[in-house]
Amino acid sequence: MAWISPDGTLLATTGTDQVTPENVRKMLAREQAVLPQKKDIDVTRPLFTMEELPAGHMLRYSILLKGKVSGLPSGTRIRQSGDTVNGAALTNTPLLTMYRIVQRALYPELGTKGLRVEVSDSAALYPDRSSLSDVDWKARHFYSYDLVVPSHQADSLFHYMLGDLNTFSGFYATLEQRRMDCLVLVRKGKALLTSQGGTPANQLFREKQPFLRNMPLSALVSRLNNHSGITLQVVDGTGYTGPVDIELPEGVGDLSSLRRELQRQGLDLRQARRKVPVFVIREKPGAPPQAKR
């Protein structure tokens, strides 16, 4: 954001969070306003490292910052070594979003229904539960995180990320088994589940005539656990790990029509009470109290 005086003089370059009624009033009245200068930070390289860093010799790099960092965008950037994803930078991002990204990477079948936030005060995780203004909440509760691991450990990238968040953020998340009401995806009778092969395609998130082609049932479970129209968490009880083809011409929002289509294709959803996996976020015991909400 560029601040320019009526005579065309550049007064300051700031982030958008400095565009407040008070600062605008001072500028129009030509009063002195102390505005922090924005300096764009290069996110193409590990955060806050110099060009002299011998990246090719780096075995591991990680950094976790609390509070909004001026000059950084809000978002996620994947880091690669050749064709291998061996790093990720999450900048000016809520901590809850970071945990959700980790959950989607490690336990994608859980969806939004498989996340539980069990903390005494959730204002540090949810801005709408805080008494702070949006600007002040971001200034205190945004995080920036960057992690790079060796290519041969790329499969553990999000395990390392979870470990860092759990160790240093003041919160921790674990996968637990909880007994609760759920919907169990089962085979209907002795139905044979198969696929005609071809290029794998997951089109379950499109509105009209979603389908799954040559993909595992975990993709269907993940879709159902991310749909607000299905109220109970879904778990896979088929025991089948091979690829399948599934057509859902009526979509996934209505449970009755969904069951009807699944039954036609050798599957069903049946309500039961059993232990199901959930990703639980808690406050870390002994962590210092969070800043004023």
Side-chain angles (χ1 to χ4, degrees):
M1 171 62 66
W3 297 78
I4 301 175
S5 69
D7 61 4
T9 302
L10 178 64
L11 300 176
T13 303
T14 72
T16 56
D17 56 338
Q18 295 301 315
V19 184
T20 65
E22 179 63 15
N23 285 338
V24 171
R25 185 194 65 77
K26 288 183 177 180
M27 285 295 184
L28 292 176
R30 298 191 179 187
E31 297 180 14
Q32 185 66 31
V34 179
L35 301 176
Q37 297 294 305
K38 179 185 178 184
K39 180 181 179 182
D40 290 332
I41 299 170
D42 184 6
V43 295
T44 64
R45 59 186 306 106
L47 294 180
F48 302 105
T49 62
M50 301 179 294
E51 293 183 2
E52 291 77 11
L53 175 72
H57 298 277
M58 186 169 61
L59 295 180
R60 175 185 163 124
Y61 169 87
S62 67
I63 184 171
L64 178 64
L65 305 168
K66 183 180 180 184
K68 184 174 182 180
V69 179
S70 180
L72 282 177
S74 290
T76 302
R77 185 183 188 89
I78 297 299
R79 303 204 184 280
Q80 293 183 235
S81 177
D83 294 331
T84 302
V85 175
N86 68 326
L90 289 65
T91 53
N92 282 336
T93 299
L95 185 64
L96 183 57
T97 300
M98 293 187 177
Y99 272 117
R100 284 173 170 160
I101 289 172
V102 169
Q103 179 204 337
R104 285 197 297 268
L106 297 181
Y107 315 110
E109 70 282 358
L110 298 186
T112 56
K113 295 182 183 64
L115 177 68
R116 302 285 190 277
V117 178
E118 299 179 352
V119 298
S120 60
D121 184 355
S122 58
L125 298 176
Y126 296 93
D128 58 348
R129 300 178 186 179
S130 171
S131 60
L132 297 174
S133 68
D134 182 66
V135 170
D136 288 341
W137 190 91
K138 290 177 180 178
R140 297 187 185 189
H141 298 303
F142 262 3
Y143 285 75
S144 293
Y145 176 69
D146 200 351
L147 171 66
V148 180
V149 301
S151 295
H152 67 274
Q153 295 182 353
D155 289 346
S156 299
L157 175 66
F158 290 96
H159 289 285
Y160 285 129
M161 186 178 296
L162 177 59
D164 282 346
L165 295 180
N166 283 351
T167 301
F168 301 110
S169 72
F171 297 85
Y172 76 102
T174 56
L175 187 69
E176 301 179 6
Q177 298 290 325
R178 296 274 182 92
R179 183 170 292 279
M180 62 180 67
D181 292 331
C182 61
L183 291 173
V184 184
L185 183 68
V186 297
R187 295 196 201 196
K188 188 174 179 289
K190 297 182 179 180
L192 181 63
L193 302 177
T194 61
S195 170
Q196 296 299 314
T199 303
N202 182 355
Q203 295 293 327
L204 293 177
F205 283 84
R206 71 183 197 177
E207 292 186 11
K208 295 184 178 180
Q209 297 186 323
F211 67 89
L212 199 65
R213 187 82 68 241
N214 197 20
M215 294 280 289
L217 285 169
S218 59
L220 173 62
V221 172
S222 176
R223 176 66 184 107
L224 299 180
N225 280 330
N226 280 294
H227 198 288
S228 59
I230 307 297
T231 57
L232 294 178
Q233 187 170 338
V234 178
V235 295
D236 185 1
T238 65
Y240 182 73
T241 58
V244 296
D245 296 339
I246 295 177
E247 307 260 353
L248 299 174
E250 297 186 48
V252 300
D254 179 73
L255 183 57
S256 296
S257 61
L258 173 63
R259 287 191 64 195
R260 185 167 56 249
E261 285 299 328
L262 290 176
Q263 289 167 0
R264 186 177 61 82
Q265 299 173 69
L267 295 165
D268 197 3
L269 283 170
R270 297 175 183 170
Q271 186 168 336
R273 187 170 182 82
R274 61 165 59 182
K275 284 187 176 181
V276 298
V278 290
F279 192 65
V280 185
I281 301 175
R282 296 187 178 90
E283 291 152 327
K284 188 175 181 181
Q290 296 289 314
K292 185 179 179 181
R293 306 308 196 255

